[in-house]
Amino acid sequence: MGCVILYRIIGNYREVIYLKKYIIIAGVPRAGKSTVSKMIAKKFGYQHISMDSVIAGIEKVFPETGIDTGASIDARTNLENISAKIAPFIRTMMDSGEYDECDYGVVIDVFQLLPQDYVTYLGNKNCEIHYFLSSDVTAEERFDLLKKYDTPDDYTYYHSDEENRKDCAEIVTISRMIKAQCEEYGLPYYETSYEREKVLEEFVNLLSD
């Protein structure tokens, strides 16, 4: 099954909505991936899978895979390493047939999945991807936004300013790399550094248009 059929009532008419069976929400940390995935799950009845927990399990139980999110190497190099391994893993999940007979779809949110690996392993008729980024700001502007909106529910709330400044610099750098790849492969991306809630709400509404 390549799509999920939903219905929307408009006046006296019932409109058919076709959505992909698998919707992948990718991009950098703190760009709204989990939030928009939960919005999709709630609005369209999709099952939400957070790859963060799956990757954490693989990392701890199967260290032989070489997946180490905390590796002391360049963040970009580590992302490329993990993405090349996680992309075929997600493809295998989709090909397992686990959800073939289900009426609902699956929304997957993931950080470690680059556009180049999505195109190589995942791009097909039953799957679509959307990237959420922080590419149009400087590292210091990203840090200021983080401090403005950070809450005790966010992991960054418990990090030092030094740690968060380093993370923000990496997020901006990786966002720009992903943006360049999205443009190369013609994949959609959304900037959420400013007016994030508005961008996420408009995106979810557009899915059913």
Side-chain angles (χ1 to χ4, degrees):
M1 181 184 294
C3 66
V4 176
I5 300 174
L6 302 172
Y7 298 97
R8 176 171 54 190
I9 305 300
I10 301 177
N12 296 323
Y13 299 94
R14 187 175 72 164
E15 182 181 33
V16 180
I17 302 171
Y18 296 93
L19 294 177
K20 295 289 187 179
K21 183 72 172 180
Y22 297 95
I23 299 175
I24 300 177
I25 302 299
V28 296
R30 301 300 304 277
K33 298 189 310 299
S34 295
T35 300
V36 78
S37 296
K38 291 173 183 176
M39 291 168 69
I40 291 170
K42 182 177 181 180
K43 182 169 183 175
F44 302 115
Y46 273 50
Q47 178 169 323
H48 175 208
I49 297 177
S50 173
M51 287 303 296
D52 283 349
S53 58
V54 176
I55 291 172
I58 295 173
E59 181 178 358
K60 292 180 180 179
V61 179
F62 304 109
E64 64 272 17
T65 61
I67 292 177
D68 181 0
T69 55
S72 55
I73 59 174
D74 174 71
R76 174 172 176 166
T77 301
N78 199 33
L79 172 59
E80 290 172 338
N81 172 56
I82 297 176
S83 174
K85 295 171 179 176
I86 289 301
F89 179 85
I90 296 175
R91 174 75 274 162
T92 302
M93 288 173 57
M94 293 180 180
D95 290 343
S96 69
E98 182 70 22
Y99 299 99
D100 286 356
E101 303 305 320
C102 299
D103 292 333
Y104 56 82
V106 180
V107 57
I108 301 170
D109 78 77
V110 58
F111 164 38
Q112 295 95 342
L113 179 59
L114 292 172
Q116 61 189 19
D117 294 316
Y118 170 79
V119 170
T120 299
Y121 295 100
L122 291 159
N124 68 9
K125 62 183 179 181
N126 73 336
C127 175
E128 66 180 80
I129 194 165
H130 302 271
Y131 281 90
F132 291 81
L133 309 172
S134 295
S135 58
D136 292 346
V137 291
T138 65
E140 192 60 27
E141 286 171 335
R142 184 69 181 80
F143 174 75
D144 290 341
L145 288 166
L146 177 70
K147 295 294 289 185
K148 181 178 179 179
Y149 295 108
D150 228 9
T151 73
D153 293 331
D154 300 309
Y155 69 90
T156 47
Y157 183 86
Y158 304 97
H159 288 183
S160 68
D161 284 353
E162 181 181 1
E163 289 176 302
N164 282 330
R165 275 196 165 89
K166 179 177 180 294
D167 288 345
C168 285
E170 291 176 347
I171 284 172
V172 171
T173 298
I174 290 172
S175 287
R176 291 172 180 172
M177 177 187 71
I178 293 174
K179 178 180 177 180
Q181 288 192 14
C182 284
E183 291 175 343
E184 178 182 355
Y185 295 109
L187 298 176
Y189 63 87
Y190 309 85
E191 175 65 40
T192 60
S193 292
Y194 298 103
E195 297 186 320
R196 187 176 83 164
E197 291 77 11
K198 180 182 178 182
V199 172
L200 300 185
E201 184 176 352
E202 289 180 349
F203 164 75
V204 173
N205 288 335
L206 283 173
L207 279 180
S208 59
D209 286 347

